[in-house]
Amino acid sequence: MSHYHIKSEKQYQEAYLESVKNPEEFWAQIAENFQWTKKWDTVLNFDFSKPEINWFQGAKLNITENCIDRHLFERANKTALLFEPNDPSEEAAHITYQQLHDRVCQLANVLKDKGIKKGDRVCLYLPMVPELAISVLACARIGAIHTVVFAGFSASALAARILDCDCKLVVTSDGAFRGSKTIDLKSIVDNALKNCPNVKTVLVVKRVHSEISLTENRDLWLQPLLDKAEKTCTPEVMDAEDPLFILYTSGSTGKPKGMVHTTAGYMVYSAFTFKNVFQYEEEDVYWCTADIGWITGHSYIVYGPLANGATSVMFEGVPSYPDYGRFWDIVQKHKVNQFYTAPTAIRALAKEGATWPSTYDLSSLKVLGTVGEPINDEAWHWYDEHIGKGTCPIVDTWWQTENGGILITSLPGITKQIPTFATLPMPGIQPCLMDENGEEINTTEASGGLCIKFPWPSIARTIWGNHDRYRDTYFSAYKNKYFTGDGALRNAEGLYRITGRVDDVIIVSGHNLGTAPIEDAIDEHLKVSESAIVGFPHDIKGNALYGYVTLVNSLSTSSETETNQLKKEINDLISAKIGPIAKLDKIQFTEGLPKTRSGKIMRRILRKIASNETNNLGDISTLLNPEVVEKIIEERL
Ligand code: WT7
């Protein structure tokens, strides 16, 4: 019996048991649902101590044949991508599987013509327009490794990523529509490329029709090239473990980590989880509101849905434009059946009141999903009551960029749901909780550091160019276990609730931000000596950033104007180095930062002060400079 589509709690339990008892047999039968040029020799080889992980070794395939070609027999005229533009008066585009095939092949041929070969890296810096999904697939068609950079990142963040994986070509656009604003993406690319001599070609999508400059011998409008290109392109035959893409995620220290995902395992797991977590049926219209610049968009707008022959909505705009009813207008207009968004969006929309959703027909909705951070009880109930009308199951899906697909979630209408609990592991996922001594906790009811004990097909295989960092970050905290960096609790029934990061990563509006890169950006200011960033609770963003900054030579800001000017300069620096998403909500100038005797900044204390939990700071007497703590509390913002 195939476990590919789980339809009942009993089937979930059977699948789960089988996946733990006989993981290789389990994943082999799931993999039978795909199209292979050659099947695997072995299902799994792994050694977490190296770490080395191989799935479906020996198999040959191309993921675009699975996401496109194999659907052409039955679904050629079915909508694959349903593009909803920023401006609601512009018509939505229904791109069928046949059209997707033709457009992907054309772009693949253009890439080949520009010298891109199997294994080359291609950077995609685009708004949420169809060309983004098409470029992703075109790279996969010819075996080029795509690295999508979210178009909210600054020129220097973009350059850092292009340089880290040595991209040869960039696809961008003349600009991006974002609500009432137009963003000039091309000049961001131009600035980034000043330091990236190996990028020989920039292909430019015409979207906003603004005047932009093209650099000779480097920049080309894409459309005329596509018009001349063939609509067929033989898929490159890939090994199961050939890299499919690199996606950067923040680390708690240092530069962003280029997570490498490989072909077969990623395909099998993203498709399997899409089918089951959303219970997608043939006629459904599915919509994930994420940007393809994040892993959620890779796995659950592009690859997972298309591998299942689904109709996947791609939205260019923002939830507030032209008004706060936009999401619900889209649900009504396209009769969306599954809707997947982030807690921060739910909170922002809830704040605008329930009148917005109440004026639209949301009766098409069957399943609601959330992802990116823990969802608070209030937001969960608002979502349930005003969007799901009390009848749609909500899947709270926990996972990470490094994971490739959803690891812990309920299955809608199938397994139990509890507000704020992600609940149960997907088949193949073996979570465990670790205590402070590094031992696995064996009682059911427990809380601790969340690890995964056994590989699943879509786990990232390495960090691009830095395997040691991969091992140190994920496999060194606990022997033979993947450490997630999250804390979790498990209730008496064995259901998991994710409690949040236990490291120096802060999730702001669902974006994963490392404190170190932000501190590095601030420290570049000539007047700044040192800084420390912590998170504090925020109604809409979940967490916001609080920065403690000391100035050189114990400079102090003398006037309010000067203070405000300096704060602005600091945030401008952060915007330029990382992007506006990393700006600080509060900046406190202080004479010193609390430090241990070995000189380590005590963020734990700073975190408590920022969250106004000053009555239980713990023992501060062992600090190098306990006196600064009082001063910081006094001047807290
Ligand atoms: C971190 C990963 C892949 C999803 C998009 C974010 C937090 C994610 C949940 C959830 C509680 C969640 C975790 C995780 N997170 N989903 N449903 N409940 N926390 O991917 O940027 O790699 O961030 O997001 O802290 O470690 P990411």
Side-chain angles (χ1 to χ4, degrees):
M1 184 206 117
S2 170
H3 293 292
Y4 188 74
H5 187 186
I6 297 165
K7 296 179 185 164
S8 67
E9 186 160 22
K10 184 162 166 281
Q11 285 178 7
Y12 163 77
Q13 278 157 357
E14 284 167 2
Y16 190 79
L17 266 176
E18 174 73 11
S19 77
V20 173
K21 262 192 3 218
N22 302 309
E24 299 201 29
E25 284 83 347
F26 177 81
W27 287 111
Q29 60 82 19
I30 297 296
E32 289 293 342
N33 292 274
F34 298 84
Q35 186 176 316
W36 304 88
T37 311
K38 172 183 174 291
K39 288 212 180 133
W40 49 93
D41 302 321
T42 50
V43 178
L44 172 65
N45 281 310
F46 80 105
D47 178 348
F48 270 177
S49 70
K50 288 188 171 157
E52 197 179 293
I53 304 155
N54 292 300
W55 281 94
F56 307 113
Q57 221 167 21
K60 306 241 180 239
L61 75 157
N62 185 289
I63 196 169
T64 69
E65 280 192 289
N66 283 277
C67 289
I68 307 173
D69 303 53
R70 69 167 168 152
H71 305 309
L72 295 180
F73 303 102
E74 288 171 5
R75 306 186 177 104
N77 298 319
K78 176 176 175 175
T79 302
L81 293 175
L82 203 176
F83 172 63
E84 171 68 24
N86 179 62
D87 178 351
S89 65
E90 187 184 329
E91 216 174 302
H94 291 255
I95 301 168
T96 65
Y97 273 92
Q98 183 66 55
Q99 290 165 335
L100 183 65
H101 170 270
D102 297 355
R103 291 176 68 176
V104 166
C105 287
Q106 283 176 312
L107 185 45
N109 286 325
V110 170
L111 292 174
K112 279 212 286 204
D113 191 51
K114 295 297 156 207
I116 301 300
K117 304 179 304 294
K118 177 176 175 182
D120 288 345
R121 276 77 61 205
V122 170
C123 173
L124 310 177
Y125 188 71
L126 282 161
M128 281 287 285
V129 292
E131 285 82 357
L132 175 50
I134 291 168
S135 307
V136 160
L137 295 161
C139 288
R141 187 77 170 181
I142 62 171
I145 302 170
H146 56 77
T147 184
V148 184
V149 177
F150 173 61
F153 277 113
S154 68
S156 77
L158 172 61
R161 287 157 174 76
I162 290 173
L163 287 171
D164 185 71
C165 65
D166 196 21
C167 296
K168 275 194 180 166
L169 183 147
V170 177
V171 187
T172 188
S173 71
D174 59 350
F177 292 126
R178 215 180 142 71
S180 54
K181 288 188 275 188
T182 304
I183 296 154
D184 181 3
L185 287 191
K186 179 61 170 52
S187 65
I188 298 176
V189 171
D190 289 341
N191 278 331
L193 294 190
K194 282 179 189 154
N195 304 314
C196 305
N198 291 349
V199 173
K200 302 294 182 209
T201 312
V202 177
L203 301 174
V204 188
V205 174
K206 193 169 266 183
R207 176 59 184 143
V208 303
H209 296 267
S210 64
E211 289 281 314
I212 57 156
S213 63
L214 296 184
T215 302
E216 232 187 303
N217 297 326
R218 190 195 71 187
D219 303 354
L220 296 160
W221 289 111
L222 179 58
Q223 195 56 49
L225 302 176
L226 292 173
D227 292 341
K228 281 182 283 185
E230 292 283 338
K231 290 181 179 162
T232 55
C233 171
T234 311
E236 185 78 29
V237 178
M238 304 296 284
D239 284 338
E241 286 294 344
D242 277 336
L244 175 63
F245 64 86
I246 302 168
L247 187 62
Y248 286 86
T249 186
S250 319
S252 50
T253 55
K255 57 178 193 171
K257 298 173 289 194
M259 304 313 308
V260 177
H261 284 284
T262 59
T263 307
Y266 175 81
M267 172 183 78
V268 167
Y269 195 78
S270 63
F272 170 72
T273 49
F274 171 77
K275 178 73 181 169
N276 290 298
V277 175
F278 299 102
Q279 290 292 310
Y280 184 85
E281 298 286 352
E282 187 60 37
E283 300 305 320
D284 290 345
V285 174
Y286 159 88
W287 180 21
C288 164
T289 71
D291 192 288
I292 292 176
W294 309 116
I295 189 72
T296 308
H298 282 61
S299 303
Y300 299 112
I301 295 178
V302 183
Y303 289 115
L306 297 180
N308 283 284
T311 296
S312 178
V313 175
M314 231 186 121
F315 175 43
E316 183 183 29
V318 293
S320 55
Y321 179 81
D323 58 43
Y324 286 98
R326 186 65 192 278
F327 271 8
W328 322 127
D329 182 44
I330 296 172
V331 168
Q332 172 180 292
K333 180 170 161 194
H334 299 302
K335 300 196 170 54
V336 171
N337 302 110
Q338 292 91 357
F339 177 75
Y340 190 28
T341 196
T344 186
I346 298 167
R347 289 190 296 265
L349 292 169
K351 187 168 153 264
E352 301 303 321
T355 317
W356 286 112
S358 74
T359 53
Y360 295 92
D361 177 5
L362 306 181
S363 61
S364 58
L365 289 172
K366 298 195 282 192
V367 176
L368 301 177
T370 119
V371 62
E373 59 184 309
I375 183 165
N376 50 307
D377 208 52
E378 202 183 336
W380 194 98
H381 285 286
W382 191 86
Y383 200 28
D384 179 44
E385 185 179 335
H386 298 290
I387 309 305
K389 316 288 180 193
T391 64
C392 291
I394 297 178
V395 288
D396 178 352
T397 64
W398 172 84
W399 59 299
Q400 315 174 292
T401 304
E402 296 85 336
N403 307 158
I406 295 165
L407 300 194
I408 302 185
T409 181
S410 54
L411 297 181
I414 294 174
T415 60
K416 185 169 182 172
Q417 74 180 30
I418 313 179
T420 79
F421 276 69
T423 73
L424 290 171
M426 285 299 290
I429 307 304
Q430 301 186 31
C432 62
L433 297 176
M434 310 300 291
D435 70 17
E436 277 158 15
N437 306 319
E439 299 297 327
E440 183 178 340
I441 308 173
N442 288 316
T443 51
T444 308
E445 233 180 323
S447 70
L450 178 61
C451 286
I452 314 287
K453 292 198 271 193
F454 196 82
W456 60 98
S458 65
I459 184 174
R461 304 298 196 256
T462 190
I463 292 174
W464 184 264
N466 199 343
H467 197 67
D468 287 348
R469 188 176 180 197
Y470 176 67
R471 185 189 52 236
D472 295 348
T473 309
Y474 304 106
F475 297 91
S476 66
Y478 307 101
K479 195 163 184 277
N480 284 325
K481 292 184 175 66
Y482 166 85
F483 178 46
T484 65
D486 281 325
L489 68 78
R490 190 167 52 208
N491 74 7
E493 288 173 280
L495 307 182
Y496 288 86
R497 177 188 190 170
I498 312 301
T499 46
R501 302 292 308 187
V502 295
D503 56 10
D504 287 333
V505 170
I506 305 171
I507 314 245
V508 179
S509 298
H511 299 312
N512 196 332
L513 299 173
T515 51
I518 305 175
E519 290 162 4
D520 290 347
I522 300 174
D523 296 350
E524 282 189 26
H525 194 290
L526 290 176
K527 288 189 182 157
V528 170
S529 151
E530 217 181 9
S531 61
I533 305 297
V534 298
F536 69 99
H538 184 280
D539 280 355
I540 289 173
K541 301 181 187 180
N543 294 296
L545 301 178
Y546 193 119
Y548 299 90
V549 177
T550 65
L551 299 175
V552 283
N553 306 327
S554 305
L555 268 180
S556 54
T557 48
S558 51
S559 67
E560 207 182 304
T561 343
E562 201 189 328
T563 308
N564 289 338
Q565 174 61 24
L566 199 51
K567 287 184 178 177
K568 183 176 174 302
E569 287 171 14
I570 287 173
N571 265 332
D572 287 350
L573 249 177
I574 296 173
S575 278
K577 291 278 158 193
I578 300 159
I581 48 176
K583 282 206 228 174
L584 309 182
D585 269 41
K586 294 184 180 175
I587 302 177
Q588 177 175 352
F589 294 108
T590 146
E591 272 166 35
L593 299 171
K595 292 191 179 163
T596 61
R597 287 181 196 270
S598 61
K600 203 170 171 311
I601 298 172
M602 287 296 282
R603 285 165 213 282
R604 182 178 55 79
I605 292 174
L606 294 173
R607 216 173 283 136
K608 287 200 167 156
I609 299 174
S611 312
N612 204 7
E613 292 169 21
T614 46
N615 46 10
N616 92 65
L617 288 183
D619 183 13
I620 60 168
S621 64
T622 57
L623 289 180
L624 189 68
N625 50 356
E627 71 286 350
V628 302
V629 175
E630 215 142 286
K631 191 99 193 283
I632 293 177
I633 294 175
E634 232 167 74
E635 292 170 359
R636 174 181 173 273
L637 299 174

